[in-house]
Amino acid sequence: MTLSRHTTHFSDNHSPFLTFNRQQWAELRKSVPLQLTEQDLKPLLGFNEELSLDEVSTIYLPLARLINYYIEENLRRQAVLNRFLGGNKVKVPYIISIAGSVAVGKSTSARILQSLLSHWPEPRKVDLITTDGFLYPLNVLQERNLLQKKGFPISYDTPKLIKFLADIKSGKPNVKAPIYSHLTYDIIPDQFNVVDQPDILILEGLNVLQTGNSAQTFVSDFVDFSIYVDADETLLQEWYIRRFLKFRQSAFNDPNSYFKHYANLSEQEAIAIATQIWNSINGLNLKENILPTRERANLILTKGADHAVQLVRLKK
């Protein structure tokens, strides 16, 4: 897909990315109408996020427009393949991945995109799955002494996730994805999300851009378009601590919460615990496993202190 020659952007001939500020990116929305209302937006937001309709119009509508072009191109390629195969038509879902750190707002980005792409330009079936469901169950993590590595690549049942994506890509109906509970900090037994031949699947998770040095298959091999939601680590840590403090006043008070023992902490104690968790687990995972995959994304959204995207980088 080529961008209009009238589009202004920051171009560095040595970079694989085109870079846009908010205004430059917003212009690429063209005349696409925003069909979301404030009321529609509210249930899409993350626990610790405030996102305006202006952010949806400025950042997510141009992104949905771009993805729609890519999907149309993908459908044309499928039609060519079907002609070559003699009309043996197979529906292949388009897979979008959304990666980034804990607390960056991946889930909110994923839900907003799902909402926009579901009605663009005509109704489409768009499913959303998080890779949390493919974490090993709590008892397995405890047995393998991996609780301090939860969220690291080693804590996921990657073969199960690969099998799930292979089934989706092959057009298999009623593919099951396990469900993770942030309350119990564990996989919910015998409960599943069922993905039944969607037009688009959005896969959201920490390590969806991961690769390795061997010849094995990776999650990224199944992805058609990848997004990385980025922010400075000092902001990410601040957002994580703020979220932890909010949970302390709400979810941690639930008797079923895995973290109920944190509910009675003073604010200073809670900040100290959250900082320690960030430094020993989430921040470490970011540096070792997540951030090194950023440049592999097709698109990078870089957020500022107010959670608004300040810069968009699009791979050429």
Side-chain angles (χ1 to χ4, degrees), residues 19-55:
T19 303
F20 303 84
N21 63 27
R22 282 179 69 84
Q23 186 183 347
Q24 290 163 338
W25 184 252
E27 286 169 8
L28 294 168
R29 171 188 168 182
K30 302 303 180 190
S31 57
V32 175
L34 176 60
Q35 295 176 332
L36 275 180
T37 65
E38 289 281 2
Q39 206 171 355
D40 296 328
L41 186 61
K42 210 165 280 185
L44 304 178
L45 297 183
F47 185 73
N48 195 37
E49 278 196 278
E50 291 175 19
L51 202 79
S52 65
L53 282 176
D54 176 63
E55 184 74 356

Side-chain angles (χ1 to χ4, degrees), residues 217-269:
T217 305
F218 299 100
V219 169
S220 52
D221 293 333
F222 296 93
V223 172
D224 297 291
F225 187 83
S226 53
I227 298 165
Y228 186 98
V229 187
D230 193 26
D232 190 85
E233 192 188 342
T234 53
L235 290 176
L236 292 168
Q237 181 174 345
E238 182 189 312
W239 296 341
Y240 176 76
I241 292 169
R242 203 184 303 161
R243 189 171 78 176
F244 189 93
L245 292 174
K246 277 195 174 183
F247 277 140
R248 167 177 147 268
Q249 295 169 327
S250 55
F252 292 171
N253 286 301
D254 190 309
N256 295 314
S257 172
Y258 178 83
F259 297 105
K260 56 181 179 285
H261 54 289
Y262 291 146
N264 298 320
L265 294 175
S266 70
E267 184 163 316
Q268 286 312 111
E269 288 170 331

Side-chain angles (χ1 to χ4, degrees), residues 10 12-13 26 41 89 98 122 153 155 160 162 177 255 267 287:
F10 307 121
D12 174 357
N13 291 334
L41 186 61
K89 195 173 182 185
I98 301 183
E122 64 280 317
S155 65
K160 185 188 268 192
I162 295 291
E267 184 163 316
K287 285 193 268 285

Side-chain angles (χ1 to χ4, degrees), residues 45-299:
L45 297 183
F47 185 73
N48 195 37
E49 278 196 278
E50 291 175 19
L51 202 79
S52 65
L53 282 176
D54 176 63
E55 184 74 356
V56 177
S57 300
T58 301
I59 303 301
Y60 291 95
L61 275 178
L63 175 53
R65 179 172 172 256
L66 173 69
I67 290 171
N68 196 59
Y69 279 133
Y70 281 131
I71 290 171
E72 286 174 1
E73 189 62 37
N74 192 60
L75 289 171
R76 280 193 286 272
R77 281 204 310 273
Q78 279 185 40
V80 168
L81 181 60
N82 289 331
R83 275 206 309 277
F84 175 71
L85 295 173
N88 198 3
K89 195 173 182 185
V90 179
K91 182 180 177 182
V92 183
Y94 191 86
I95 298 183
I96 299 165
S97 70
I98 301 183
S101 169
V102 166
V104 77
K106 297 182 302 301
S107 300
T108 299
S109 295
R111 286 190 292 265
I112 288 170
L113 261 187
Q114 181 186 26
S115 181
L116 293 176
L117 291 171
S118 293
H119 305 97
W120 190 311
E122 64 280 317
R124 277 198 180 119
K125 188 177 181 188
V126 185
D127 284 343
L128 170 58
I129 292 291
T130 73
T131 58
D132 291 345
F134 294 90
L135 284 160
Y136 285 114
L138 203 53
N139 64 326
V140 174
L141 293 174
Q142 287 164 336
E143 278 167 23
R144 299 183 185 180
N145 201 23
L146 289 175
L147 268 187
Q148 294 301 305
K149 296 286 184 185
K150 194 165 184 182
F152 285 61
I154 197 172
S155 65
Y156 289 88
D157 189 342
T158 304
K160 185 188 268 192
L161 176 54
I162 295 291
K163 171 77 167 60
F164 167 79
L165 290 170
D167 286 346
I168 296 292
K169 269 293 185 191
S170 67
K172 192 173 174 183
N174 300 318
V175 183
K176 289 181 177 179
I179 298 174
Y180 178 80
S181 166
H182 287 277
L183 186 69
T184 63
Y185 202 53
D186 203 357
I187 304 299
I188 303 173
D190 305 318
Q191 283 193 34
F192 302 93
N193 284 313
V194 178
V195 179
D196 186 21
Q197 298 178 312
D199 298 299
I200 302 168
L201 175 70
I202 298 174
L203 182 72
E204 178 253 305
L206 299 172
N207 298 298
V208 290
L209 286 166
Q210 207 76 35
T211 60
N213 299 319
S214 67
Q216 71 187 81
T217 305
F218 299 100
V219 169
S220 52
D221 293 333
F222 296 93
V223 172
D224 297 291
F225 187 83
S226 53
I227 298 165
Y228 186 98
V229 187
D230 193 26
D232 190 85
E233 192 188 342
T234 53
L235 290 176
L236 292 168
Q237 181 174 345
E238 182 189 312
W239 296 341
Y240 176 76
I241 292 169
R242 203 184 303 161
R243 189 171 78 176
F244 189 93
L245 292 174
K246 277 195 174 183
F247 277 140
R248 167 177 147 268
Q249 295 169 327
S250 55
F252 292 171
N253 286 301
D254 190 309
N256 295 314
S257 172
Y258 178 83
F259 297 105
K260 56 181 179 285
H261 54 289
Y262 291 146
N264 298 320
L265 294 175
S266 70
E267 184 163 316
Q268 286 312 111
E269 288 170 331
I271 289 170
I273 292 274
T275 303
Q276 189 264 324
I277 293 171
W278 178 267
N279 290 332
S280 63
I281 301 176
N282 298 320
L284 193 62
N285 193 19
L286 172 66
K287 285 193 268 285
E288 289 183 1
N289 301 303
I290 302 167
L291 197 54
T293 69
R294 179 180 62 191
E295 309 300 306
R296 300 191 66 246
N298 298 112
L299 184 111

